[in-house]
Amino acid sequence: GPTRKMPLTASAMDFFQLFVPDNVLKNMVVQTNMYAKKYQERFGSDDTWIDVTLTEMKAFLGYMISTSIHHCESVLSIWSSGFYSNKSIALIMTQSRFEKILKYFHIVAFRSSQTTHGLYKIQPFLDSLQNGFDSAFRPSQAQVLHEPLIDEDPVFIATCTERELRKRKKRKFSLWVRQCSSTGFICQIYVHLKEGSGADGLDALKNKPQLHSMVAKSLCQNASGKNYIIFTGPSITSLNLFEEFEKQEIYCCGLLSARKSDCTGLPPSMLNNPDTPQSRGQYRIRMKGNMSLICWYNKGHFRFLTNAYSPVQQGVIIKRKSGEIPCPLAVEAFAAHLSYICKYDDKYSKYFISHKPNKTWQQVFWFAISIAINNAYILYKMSEAYHVTRYSRAQFGERLVKELLGLEDTSPSH
């Protein structure tokens, strides 16, 4: 849960600033103004440009965050006369001023000579965000490694033509998270560029187990020695990785797939389906030290690799139609924690900022801001302030937008 007690009067802004404090926003102001100056020295002066202020930067973020609640295809719809126009917030800043800030917006204006990392323009912000996640929240023992749902707005996808879909650029990065499976709080973000040129670039590791193993190690670099139980999907699950994690006192439970997983070192007899027909709930076990490989049958064969649960401990999977199906405890735990993350994705993935910039670092930035707001809401729900006001996720987002824009009326819409 949260590491600090927030006051009863804590606002949405107070929770958001646990992760994006004023000093980070002030740095955005400085870097944006530096970039504007550099840009104009190179391409000619812009008489309409005035240095951005902290108040304007907060309003700029507020406009962007508003697209996560109303899901307009373009943030500029706010100033339009169409369906997604929002007259109540459009008066705070003119559209032309917003577009100027958007043109020059930067977190790192200059590239240092030592920089080789493709995300150098956003890395200081990601580091600051990670420090905020670490200091504000202590996760539960059970955590999940996965790729969160950050897909296109389903309303837009359903209404646009195939040609419009083809025109939209594919993301040039993959985003993975380590997530507390009892609260949904995202403890760590890992971004991997798909066009990395080095030996660890995604192109060099495409469709290879090394990539997912490297992602898992990066996400768990701060987890050693804490007895965490990490749940993984088929692409990450492997015997070598789990044994390596066990030496760091990180325990694992993962679903195996003969097609997607690295099955090196596992007995082939357990990976092949038996010839004799199975009844639901039957399972076979093979052990090596603390590691158990479980093959469980339920309308199909499911294989699990774990060193976090004893294979002889019993559990049950409860189905509405067929009642209780017996299974090892590891299978029950895996199903419970993964189902929670699916519920989290269903609830929170629709609150990602809709703005789709072309630059990869900006795409990563808006995804990271969206995750920070979701985390802020989770902390708000666990605080005493929630018992006073009880905002929904949408109301919390609206409240945050109004506070960033400096509007006095911060009551949620009903």
Side-chain angles (χ1 to χ4, degrees):
T3 56
R4 67 190 81 177
K5 189 175 181 180
M6 299 293 279
L8 288 171
T9 54
S11 64
M13 187 74 164
D14 292 331
F15 287 98
F16 177 64
Q17 293 215 300
L18 291 172
F19 311 125
V20 188
D22 266 353
N23 66 317
V24 171
L25 297 175
K26 285 173 183 173
N27 179 62
M28 291 178 195
V29 170
V30 171
Q31 297 293 330
T32 298
N33 290 332
M34 284 169 62
Y35 181 79
K37 185 180 177 184
K38 181 180 81 167
Y39 185 94
Q40 289 171 44
E41 285 172 358
R42 186 174 178 185
F43 298 107
S45 63
D46 182 350
D47 297 333
T48 58
W49 172 253
I50 305 166
D51 277 0
V52 69
T53 64
L54 179 61
T55 304
E56 285 182 312
M57 185 57 73
K58 286 182 178 179
F60 172 76
L61 289 178
Y63 283 125
M64 286 298 195
I65 291 166
S66 72
T67 67
S68 68
I69 306 155
H70 304 295
H71 298 291
C72 46
E73 182 50 26
S74 168
V75 66
L76 301 180
S77 303
I78 291 167
W79 291 274
S80 72
S81 56
F83 180 76
Y84 289 112
S85 65
N86 193 332
K87 296 288 185 286
S88 63
I89 66 174
L91 300 172
I92 303 298
M93 184 187 288
T94 64
Q95 181 178 340
S96 59
R97 179 60 176 165
F98 175 86
E99 288 183 274
K100 278 280 184 260
I101 297 172
L102 181 60
K103 177 181 178 180
Y104 295 125
F105 176 67
H106 266 70
I107 295 162
V108 176
F110 299 102
R111 181 172 190 159
S112 66
S113 55
Q114 298 88 17
T115 303
T116 56
H117 196 275
L119 289 171
Y120 76 94
K121 284 193 172 185
I122 195 180
Q123 198 59 53
F125 174 76
L126 293 177
D127 293 340
S128 167
L129 202 61
Q130 189 58 56
N131 290 335
F133 291 171
D134 291 341
S135 61
F137 185 81
R138 190 170 57 231
S140 64
Q141 184 184 27
Q143 292 162 44
V144 179
L145 305 186
H146 72 120
E147 288 184 275
L149 279 177
I150 52 175
D151 292 327
E152 302 285 4
D153 178 24
V155 175
F156 172 75
I157 293 298
T159 56
C160 73
T161 63
E162 281 188 35
R163 185 181 173 193
E164 285 174 318
L165 273 176
R166 282 198 300 271
K167 276 169 66 181
R168 293 173 75 81
K169 292 184 178 179
K170 290 185 178 179
R171 285 202 311 271
K172 294 181 180 177
F173 65 93
S174 58
L175 190 147
W176 297 74
V177 298
R178 175 164 57 87
Q179 190 168 13
C180 169
S181 65
S182 55
T183 61
F185 189 94
I186 288 178
C187 310
Q188 193 161 348
I189 300 172
Y190 179 76
V191 181
H192 199 92
L193 293 179
K194 291 184 178 178
E195 295 182 345
S197 54
D200 63 340
L202 198 60
D203 284 344
L205 298 171
K206 197 164 276 184
N207 299 325
K208 293 183 180 177
Q210 302 103 286
L211 167 65
H212 299 112
S213 176
M214 186 189 74
V215 167
K217 289 172 189 174
S218 299
L219 284 171
C220 295
Q221 59 190 1
N222 301 327
S224 57
K226 297 180 181 176
N227 286 316
Y228 287 154
I229 298 175
I230 304 293
F231 293 88
T232 62
S235 60
I236 292 178
T237 304
S238 80
L239 179 63
N240 292 337
L241 179 68
F242 282 15
E243 286 179 336
E244 200 172 319
F245 274 168
E246 189 174 355
K247 293 171 187 171
Q248 302 171 36
E249 294 179 46
I250 302 171
Y251 302 95
C252 305
C253 180
L255 182 64
L256 265 174
S257 160
R259 190 168 54 87
K260 293 182 181 177
S261 305
D262 175 11
C263 297
T264 308
L266 298 174
S269 61
M270 289 291 284
L271 301 175
N272 299 322
N273 296 336
D275 297 329
T276 54
Q278 303 275 295
S279 58
R280 293 178 77 176
Q282 271 193 306
Y283 57 90
R284 298 177 293 148
I285 298 167
R286 286 285 293 273
M287 293 189 69
K288 176 189 175 185
N290 292 329
M291 200 72 65
S292 308
L293 175 56
I294 300 164
C295 180
W296 177 68
Y297 183 81
N298 177 26
K299 290 188 177 177
H301 292 275
F302 296 89
R303 293 170 180 82
F304 298 85
L305 190 64
T306 182
N307 56 3
Y309 297 93
S310 164
V312 295
Q313 283 185 285
Q314 291 294 308
V316 288
I317 298 285
I318 299 172
K319 298 282 184 182
R320 275 183 295 183
K321 290 183 178 178
S322 46
E324 294 185 353
I325 302 166
C327 65
L329 184 62
V331 178
E332 181 189 340
F334 184 90
H337 292 294
L338 263 291
S339 69
Y340 182 88
I341 296 304
C342 289
K343 286 177 189 171
Y344 171 92
D345 280 344
D346 290 344
K347 183 174 181 180
Y348 290 102
S349 64
K350 62 184 176 212
Y351 293 109
F352 278 84
I353 291 167
S354 297
H355 177 64
K356 299 289 187 292
N358 287 330
K359 292 185 174 66
T360 298
W361 73 264
Q362 289 185 6
Q363 292 173 18
V364 174
F365 175 77
W366 296 119
F367 282 135
I369 287 283
S370 302
I371 287 171
I373 299 169
N374 285 342
N375 276 355
Y377 181 68
I378 289 167
L379 290 188
Y380 160 72
K381 283 196 75 174
M382 297 174 78
S383 74
E384 293 178 4
Y386 178 69
H387 300 293
V388 177
T389 48
R390 288 189 179 271
Y391 295 125
S392 67
R393 172 64 183 84
Q395 290 171 331
F396 183 85
E398 286 183 2
R399 178 107 182 176
L400 176 60
V401 167
K402 288 182 176 179
E403 288 171 22
L404 283 165
L405 289 165
L407 292 170
E408 289 182 25
D409 175 26
T410 53
S411 59
S413 61
H414 296 285

Coordinates of all heavy atoms in Angstrom, one line a residue, residues 164-234:
E164 N -7.4 4.4 -43.7 CA -7.0 5.3 -42.6 C -6.1 4.5 -41.6 O -5.2 5.0 -41.0 CB -8.2 5.8 -41.9 CG -8.9 6.9 -42.7 CD -10.2 7.4 -42.0 OE1 -10.9 6.5 -41.6 OE2 -10.4 8.6 -42.0
L165 N -6.5 3.2 -41.4 CA -5.7 2.3 -40.5 C -4.3 2.1 -41.0 O -3.3 2.1 -40.2 CB -6.4 1.0 -40.3 CG -7.5 0.9 -39.2 CD1 -8.1 -0.5 -39.3 CD2 -6.9 1.1 -37.9
R166 N -4.1 1.9 -42.3 CA -2.8 1.7 -42.9 C -1.9 2.9 -42.8 O -0.7 2.8 -42.6 CB -2.9 1.2 -44.3 CG -3.3 -0.2 -44.5 CD -3.0 -0.7 -45.9 NE -3.7 0.0 -46.9 CZ -4.9 -0.3 -47.4 NH1 -5.6 -1.3 -46.9 NH2 -5.5 0.5 -48.3
K167 N -2.6 4.1 -42.9 CA -1.8 5.3 -42.8 C -1.3 5.6 -41.4 O -0.2 6.3 -41.3 CB -2.8 6.5 -43.2 CG -2.9 6.7 -44.7 CD -4.0 7.7 -45.1 CE -3.7 9.1 -44.5 NZ -4.8 10.0 -44.9
R168 N -1.9 5.1 -40.4 CA -1.4 5.3 -39.0 C -0.2 4.5 -38.8 O -0.1 3.3 -39.0 CB -2.5 4.9 -38.0 CG -3.7 5.8 -38.1 CD -4.8 5.3 -37.2 NE -4.6 5.6 -35.8 CZ -4.8 6.7 -35.2 NH1 -5.3 7.7 -35.9 NH2 -4.5 6.9 -33.9
K169 N 0.8 5.2 -38.3 CA 2.1 4.6 -38.1 C 2.1 3.6 -36.9 O 1.5 3.9 -35.9 CB 3.2 5.7 -37.8 CG 3.5 6.5 -39.0 CD 4.6 7.5 -38.7 CE 5.0 8.3 -39.9 NZ 6.0 9.3 -39.7
K170 N 2.8 2.5 -37.1 CA 2.8 1.5 -36.0 C 3.8 2.0 -34.9 O 4.8 2.7 -35.3 CB 3.3 0.2 -36.5 CG 2.3 -0.5 -37.4 CD 2.7 -1.9 -37.8 CE 1.7 -2.6 -38.6 NZ 2.1 -4.0 -39.0
R171 N 3.6 1.6 -33.7 CA 4.5 2.0 -32.6 C 5.9 1.4 -32.9 O 6.0 0.3 -33.2 CB 3.9 1.6 -31.3 CG 2.8 2.4 -30.8 CD 2.7 2.2 -29.3 NE 2.7 0.9 -28.8 CZ 1.6 0.1 -28.7 NH1 0.4 0.6 -29.1 NH2 1.7 -1.1 -28.3
K172 N 6.9 2.2 -32.6 CA 8.3 1.8 -32.7 C 8.9 1.3 -31.4 O 10.1 1.2 -31.3 CB 9.1 2.9 -33.3 CG 8.7 3.3 -34.8 CD 9.6 4.4 -35.3 CE 9.1 4.7 -36.7 NZ 9.9 5.8 -37.3
F173 N 8.0 1.0 -30.5 CA 8.6 0.5 -29.2 C 7.6 -0.4 -28.6 O 6.4 -0.5 -28.9 CB 8.8 1.7 -28.2 CG 7.5 2.4 -27.9 CD1 6.8 2.1 -26.7 CD2 7.0 3.4 -28.7 CE1 5.6 2.7 -26.4 CE2 5.8 4.1 -28.4 CZ 5.1 3.7 -27.2
S174 N 8.1 -1.2 -27.6 CA 7.2 -2.1 -26.8 C 7.3 -1.6 -25.4 O 8.4 -1.2 -24.9 CB 7.5 -3.5 -26.9 OG 8.9 -3.8 -26.5
L175 N 6.2 -1.6 -24.6 CA 6.2 -1.1 -23.3 C 5.7 -2.3 -22.3 O 4.7 -2.9 -22.5 CB 5.2 0.0 -23.2 CG 5.2 0.8 -21.8 CD1 4.9 2.3 -22.1 CD2 4.2 0.3 -20.8
W176 N 6.6 -2.6 -21.4 CA 6.3 -3.7 -20.4 C 6.2 -3.1 -19.0 O 6.9 -2.1 -18.8 CB 7.4 -4.7 -20.5 CG 7.6 -5.5 -21.8 CD1 8.1 -5.0 -23.0 CD2 7.2 -6.8 -22.1 NE1 8.1 -5.9 -23.9 CE2 7.5 -7.0 -23.4 CE3 6.6 -7.8 -21.3 CZ2 7.2 -8.3 -24.1 CZ3 6.3 -9.0 -22.0 CH2 6.7 -9.2 -23.3
V177 N 5.5 -3.8 -18.1 CA 5.4 -3.3 -16.8 C 5.5 -4.4 -15.8 O 5.3 -5.6 -16.1 CB 4.1 -2.6 -16.5 CG1 3.9 -1.3 -17.4 CG2 2.9 -3.5 -16.7
R178 N 6.0 -4.1 -14.6 CA 5.8 -5.0 -13.4 C 4.7 -4.3 -12.5 O 4.8 -3.2 -12.1 CB 7.2 -5.0 -12.6 CG 7.1 -5.9 -11.3 CD 8.4 -6.3 -10.8 NE 9.3 -5.1 -10.6 CZ 9.3 -4.4 -9.4 NH1 8.6 -4.8 -8.4 NH2 10.2 -3.4 -9.3
Q179 N 3.7 -5.1 -12.3 CA 2.5 -4.6 -11.7 C 2.1 -5.4 -10.4 O 2.1 -6.6 -10.4 CB 1.4 -4.7 -12.7 CG 0.1 -4.0 -12.4 CD -0.8 -3.8 -13.6 OE1 -0.6 -4.5 -14.6 NE2 -1.8 -3.0 -13.5
C180 N 1.7 -4.7 -9.4 CA 1.2 -5.3 -8.2 C -0.1 -5.9 -8.5 O -1.1 -5.2 -8.9 CB 1.1 -4.2 -7.1 SG 0.2 -4.8 -5.6
S181 N -0.3 -7.2 -8.3 CA -1.5 -7.9 -8.8 C -2.6 -7.8 -7.8 O -3.7 -8.3 -8.1 CB -1.2 -9.4 -9.1 OG -0.8 -10.1 -8.0
S182 N -2.4 -7.3 -6.6 CA -3.6 -7.1 -5.7 C -4.2 -5.7 -5.7 O -5.3 -5.5 -5.3 CB -3.2 -7.5 -4.3 OG -2.1 -6.8 -3.9
T183 N -3.4 -4.7 -6.2 CA -4.0 -3.4 -6.3 C -4.0 -2.8 -7.7 O -4.8 -1.9 -8.0 CB -3.1 -2.4 -5.5 OG1 -1.8 -2.4 -6.0 CG2 -3.1 -2.8 -4.0
G184 N -3.2 -3.4 -8.6 CA -3.1 -2.9 -10.0 C -2.1 -1.8 -10.1 O -1.8 -1.3 -11.3
F185 N -1.4 -1.4 -9.1 CA -0.4 -0.3 -9.1 C 0.8 -0.8 -10.0 O 1.3 -1.9 -9.8 CB 0.1 0.1 -7.7 CG 1.0 1.3 -7.6 CD1 0.4 2.5 -7.4 CD2 2.3 1.2 -7.9 CE1 1.2 3.7 -7.3 CE2 3.1 2.3 -7.8 CZ 2.6 3.5 -7.5
I186 N 1.2 0.0 -11.0 CA 2.3 -0.3 -11.8 C 3.6 0.1 -11.1 O 3.8 1.3 -10.9 CB 2.1 0.3 -13.2 CG1 1.0 -0.5 -14.0 CG2 3.4 0.3 -14.0 CD1 0.7 0.0 -15.3
C187 N 4.4 -0.8 -10.7 CA 5.6 -0.5 -10.0 C 6.8 -0.1 -10.8 O 7.7 0.6 -10.4 CB 6.1 -1.8 -9.2 SG 4.7 -2.5 -8.2
Q188 N 6.8 -0.6 -12.0 CA 8.0 -0.3 -12.9 C 7.6 -0.4 -14.4 O 6.8 -1.2 -14.8 CB 9.1 -1.3 -12.6 CG 10.5 -0.8 -13.2 CD 11.7 -1.5 -12.6 OE1 11.5 -2.2 -11.6 NE2 12.8 -1.4 -13.2
I189 N 8.2 0.5 -15.2 CA 7.9 0.6 -16.6 C 9.2 0.3 -17.3 O 10.3 0.7 -16.9 CB 7.5 2.0 -17.1 CG1 6.2 2.4 -16.3 CG2 7.3 2.1 -18.6 CD1 5.8 3.9 -16.6
Y190 N 9.2 -0.5 -18.4 CA 10.3 -0.8 -19.2 C 10.0 -0.5 -20.7 O 9.0 -1.1 -21.2 CB 10.9 -2.2 -19.0 CG 12.1 -2.5 -19.9 CD1 13.3 -2.0 -19.5 CD2 12.0 -3.3 -21.0 CE1 14.4 -2.3 -20.3 CE2 13.1 -3.5 -21.8 CZ 14.3 -3.0 -21.5 OH 15.4 -3.3 -22.2
V191 N 10.7 0.3 -21.3 CA 10.4 0.7 -22.7 C 11.6 0.1 -23.6 O 12.7 0.3 -23.3 CB 10.3 2.2 -22.9 CG1 10.0 2.5 -24.4 CG2 9.3 2.8 -22.0
H192 N 11.2 -0.6 -24.6 CA 12.2 -1.2 -25.5 C 11.9 -0.7 -26.9 O 10.8 -0.9 -27.5 CB 12.2 -2.7 -25.5 CG 13.5 -3.3 -26.0 ND1 14.5 -3.6 -25.2 CD2 13.9 -3.6 -27.2 CE1 15.5 -4.1 -25.9 NE2 15.1 -4.1 -27.1
L193 N 12.9 -0.1 -27.6 CA 12.8 0.4 -28.9 C 12.9 -0.7 -29.9 O 13.7 -1.6 -29.8 CB 13.9 1.5 -29.2 CG 13.8 2.8 -28.5 CD1 14.9 3.7 -28.9 CD2 12.5 3.5 -28.7
K194 N 12.0 -0.7 -30.9 CA 11.9 -1.8 -31.9 C 13.0 -1.7 -32.9 O 13.3 -2.6 -33.7 CB 10.6 -1.9 -32.6 CG 9.5 -2.3 -31.6 CD 8.1 -2.5 -32.3 CE 7.1 -3.0 -31.4 NZ 5.8 -3.1 -32.0
E195 N 13.6 -0.5 -33.0 CA 14.7 -0.3 -34.0 C 16.0 0.0 -33.4 O 16.8 0.7 -33.9 CB 14.3 0.9 -34.9 CG 13.0 0.7 -35.7 CD 12.6 1.8 -36.6 OE1 13.2 2.9 -36.4 OE2 11.8 1.6 -37.5
G196 N 16.3 -0.7 -32.3 CA 17.6 -0.6 -31.7 C 18.6 -1.2 -32.6 O 18.5 -2.2 -33.2
S197 N 19.8 -0.5 -32.7 CA 20.8 -0.9 -33.7 C 21.8 -1.9 -33.0 O 22.5 -2.6 -33.7 CB 21.5 0.3 -34.2 OG 22.0 1.1 -33.1
G198 N 21.9 -1.9 -31.7 CA 22.9 -2.7 -31.0 C 22.5 -4.2 -30.9 O 21.4 -4.6 -31.5
A199 N 23.3 -4.9 -30.3 CA 23.1 -6.4 -30.1 C 21.8 -6.7 -29.3 O 21.2 -7.7 -29.4 CB 24.3 -7.1 -29.5
D200 N 21.4 -5.7 -28.5 CA 20.2 -5.9 -27.6 C 19.0 -5.2 -28.2 O 17.9 -5.1 -27.6 CB 20.4 -5.4 -26.2 CG 20.7 -3.9 -26.2 OD1 21.0 -3.3 -27.2 OD2 20.5 -3.2 -25.1
G201 N 19.1 -4.7 -29.5 CA 17.9 -4.1 -30.1 C 16.9 -5.1 -30.4 O 17.2 -6.3 -30.6
L202 N 15.6 -4.6 -30.6 CA 14.5 -5.6 -30.8 C 14.7 -6.3 -32.1 O 14.3 -7.4 -32.3 CB 13.2 -4.8 -30.7 CG 12.0 -5.6 -30.5 CD1 12.1 -6.4 -29.2 CD2 10.7 -4.8 -30.5
D203 N 15.2 -5.6 -33.1 CA 15.4 -6.2 -34.4 C 16.4 -7.4 -34.3 O 16.2 -8.5 -34.9 CB 16.0 -5.2 -35.4 CG 14.9 -4.3 -35.9 OD1 13.7 -4.6 -35.7 OD2 15.2 -3.2 -36.5
A204 N 17.4 -7.3 -33.5 CA 18.4 -8.3 -33.4 C 17.8 -9.5 -32.6 O 18.3 -10.6 -32.7 CB 19.7 -7.8 -32.7
L205 N 16.8 -9.2 -31.7 CA 16.3 -10.3 -30.9 C 14.9 -10.7 -31.3 O 14.2 -11.3 -30.5 CB 16.3 -9.8 -29.4 CG 17.6 -9.4 -28.8 CD1 17.4 -8.8 -27.5 CD2 18.5 -10.7 -28.6
K206 N 14.4 -10.3 -32.4 CA 13.0 -10.5 -32.8 C 12.7 -12.0 -32.7 O 13.4 -12.8 -33.2 CB 12.8 -9.9 -34.2 CG 11.3 -9.7 -34.5 CD 11.1 -8.9 -35.8 CE 11.2 -7.4 -35.4 NZ 10.9 -6.5 -36.5
N207 N 11.5 -12.3 -32.1 CA 11.0 -13.6 -31.9 C 12.0 -14.6 -31.2 O 12.0 -15.8 -31.4 CB 10.7 -14.2 -33.3 CG 9.6 -13.4 -34.0 OD1 8.7 -12.9 -33.3 ND2 9.7 -13.3 -35.3
K208 N 12.9 -14.0 -30.4 CA 13.8 -14.8 -29.7 C 13.6 -14.7 -28.2 O 13.3 -13.6 -27.7 CB 15.3 -14.4 -30.0 CG 15.7 -14.7 -31.5 CD 17.1 -14.4 -31.7 CE 17.5 -14.7 -33.2 NZ 18.9 -14.3 -33.4
P209 N 13.8 -15.8 -27.4 CA 13.6 -15.7 -26.0 C 14.5 -14.7 -25.3 O 14.1 -14.3 -24.2 CB 13.9 -17.2 -25.5 CG 13.9 -18.0 -26.7 CD 14.2 -17.1 -27.9
Q210 N 15.7 -14.4 -25.8 CA 16.5 -13.4 -25.1 C 15.9 -12.1 -24.9 O 16.1 -11.5 -23.8 CB 17.8 -13.1 -25.9 CG 18.6 -14.3 -26.3 CD 18.4 -14.7 -27.7 OE1 17.4 -15.3 -28.1 NE2 19.4 -14.5 -28.6
L211 N 15.0 -11.7 -25.8 CA 14.4 -10.4 -25.6 C 13.5 -10.4 -24.4 O 13.7 -9.5 -23.5 CB 13.5 -10.0 -26.8 CG 12.6 -8.8 -26.6 CD1 13.3 -7.5 -26.4 CD2 11.6 -8.7 -27.7
H212 N 12.7 -11.4 -24.2 CA 11.7 -11.4 -23.1 C 12.5 -11.7 -21.8 O 12.1 -11.2 -20.7 CB 10.6 -12.4 -23.4 CG 9.8 -12.1 -24.6 ND1 9.9 -12.9 -25.7 CD2 9.0 -11.1 -24.8 CE1 9.1 -12.3 -26.6 NE2 8.5 -11.2 -26.1
S213 N 13.5 -12.4 -21.9 CA 14.4 -12.7 -20.7 C 15.0 -11.4 -20.3 O 15.1 -11.0 -19.1 CB 15.4 -13.7 -21.0 OG 16.3 -13.9 -19.9
M214 N 15.5 -10.6 -21.2 CA 16.2 -9.3 -20.9 C 15.1 -8.3 -20.3 O 15.4 -7.6 -19.4 CB 16.8 -8.7 -22.2 CG 17.6 -7.5 -22.0 SD 18.0 -6.7 -23.5 CE 16.5 -6.0 -24.1
V215 N 13.9 -8.3 -20.9 CA 12.8 -7.4 -20.4 C 12.5 -7.8 -18.9 O 12.4 -6.9 -18.1 CB 11.6 -7.6 -21.2 CG1 10.4 -7.0 -20.6 CG2 11.8 -7.0 -22.6
A216 N 12.4 -9.1 -18.6 CA 12.1 -9.6 -17.3 C 13.2 -9.2 -16.3 O 12.9 -8.7 -15.2 CB 11.9 -11.1 -17.3
K217 N 14.4 -9.3 -16.7 CA 15.6 -9.0 -15.8 C 15.6 -7.5 -15.5 O 15.8 -7.0 -14.4 CB 16.9 -9.4 -16.4 CG 17.1 -10.9 -16.4 CD 18.3 -11.3 -17.2 CE 18.5 -12.8 -17.4 NZ 19.6 -13.1 -18.3
S218 N 15.3 -6.7 -16.6 CA 15.2 -5.2 -16.4 C 14.1 -4.8 -15.4 O 14.3 -3.9 -14.6 CB 15.1 -4.5 -17.7 OG 16.1 -4.8 -18.6
L219 N 13.0 -5.4 -15.6 CA 11.8 -5.1 -14.7 C 12.0 -5.5 -13.3 O 11.4 -5.0 -12.4 CB 10.5 -5.7 -15.3 CG 9.9 -5.0 -16.5 CD1 8.8 -5.9 -17.1 CD2 9.4 -3.7 -16.2
C220 N 12.8 -6.5 -13.1 CA 13.0 -7.1 -11.7 C 14.4 -6.7 -11.1 O 14.8 -7.3 -10.1 CB 12.9 -8.6 -11.7 SG 11.2 -9.2 -12.2
Q221 N 15.1 -5.7 -11.7 CA 16.4 -5.4 -11.2 C 16.4 -4.8 -9.7 O 17.3 -4.9 -9.0 CB 17.1 -4.4 -12.1 CG 16.3 -3.1 -12.3 CD 16.9 -2.2 -13.4 OE1 17.9 -2.7 -14.0 NE2 16.3 -1.1 -13.6
N222 N 15.2 -4.2 -9.3 CA 15.1 -3.7 -7.9 C 14.3 -4.7 -7.0 O 14.0 -4.3 -5.9 CB 14.4 -2.3 -8.0 CG 15.1 -1.3 -8.8 OD1 16.3 -1.3 -8.9 ND2 14.4 -0.4 -9.4
A223 N 14.0 -5.9 -7.5 CA 13.2 -6.8 -6.7 C 14.0 -7.9 -6.0 O 13.4 -8.6 -5.2 CB 12.2 -7.4 -7.7
S224 N 15.3 -8.0 -6.2 CA 16.0 -9.1 -5.6 C 16.0 -9.0 -4.1 O 16.1 -7.9 -3.5 CB 17.4 -9.1 -6.1 OG 18.1 -7.9 -5.9
G225 N 16.0 -10.2 -3.4 CA 16.1 -10.2 -2.0 C 14.8 -9.9 -1.2 O 14.8 -9.8 0.0
K226 N 13.7 -9.7 -2.0 CA 12.4 -9.3 -1.3 C 11.4 -10.4 -1.3 O 10.2 -10.1 -0.9 CB 11.9 -8.0 -2.0 CG 12.8 -6.8 -1.9 CD 12.3 -5.6 -2.6 CE 13.2 -4.4 -2.5 NZ 12.8 -3.2 -3.2
N227 N 11.7 -11.6 -1.7 CA 10.8 -12.7 -1.7 C 9.5 -12.4 -2.5 O 8.4 -12.9 -2.2 CB 10.4 -13.1 -0.3 CG 11.6 -13.8 0.4 OD1 12.2 -14.7 -0.2 ND2 11.9 -13.4 1.6
Y228 N 9.6 -11.7 -3.6 CA 8.4 -11.4 -4.4 C 8.1 -12.7 -5.2 O 9.0 -13.5 -5.5 CB 8.7 -10.3 -5.5 CG 8.8 -8.9 -4.9 CD1 9.5 -7.9 -5.5 CD2 8.0 -8.6 -3.7 CE1 9.5 -6.6 -5.0 CE2 8.1 -7.3 -3.2 CZ 8.8 -6.3 -3.8 OH 8.9 -5.1 -3.3
I229 N 6.8 -12.9 -5.5 CA 6.4 -14.0 -6.4 C 6.0 -13.3 -7.7 O 5.1 -12.4 -7.7 CB 5.2 -14.8 -5.8 CG1 5.7 -15.5 -4.6 CG2 4.7 -15.8 -6.9 CD1 4.5 -16.2 -3.8
I230 N 6.7 -13.6 -8.8 CA 6.4 -13.0 -10.1 C 5.7 -13.9 -11.0 O 6.1 -15.0 -11.3 CB 7.8 -12.6 -10.8 CG1 8.6 -11.7 -9.9 CG2 7.5 -11.9 -12.1 CD1 8.0 -10.3 -9.6
F231 N 4.5 -13.5 -11.5 CA 3.7 -14.3 -12.5 C 4.1 -13.8 -13.9 O 4.2 -12.6 -14.2 CB 2.2 -14.1 -12.2 CG 1.8 -14.7 -10.9 CD1 1.8 -14.0 -9.7 CD2 1.3 -16.0 -10.8 CE1 1.4 -14.5 -8.5 CE2 0.9 -16.6 -9.6 CZ 1.0 -15.8 -8.5
T232 N 4.3 -14.8 -14.8 CA 4.7 -14.5 -16.2 C 3.8 -15.2 -17.2 O 3.3 -16.3 -16.9 CB 6.2 -14.8 -16.4 OG1 6.3 -16.2 -16.2 CG2 7.1 -14.1 -15.4
G233 N 3.7 -14.6 -18.4 CA 3.1 -15.3 -19.5 C 4.0 -16.2 -20.2 O 5.2 -16.2 -19.9
P234 N 3.5 -16.9 -21.3 CA 4.3 -17.9 -22.0 C 5.6 -17.3 -22.6 O 6.6 -18.0 -22.7 CB 3.4 -18.4 -23.1 CG 2.0 -18.1 -22.6 CD 2.1 -16.8 -21.8

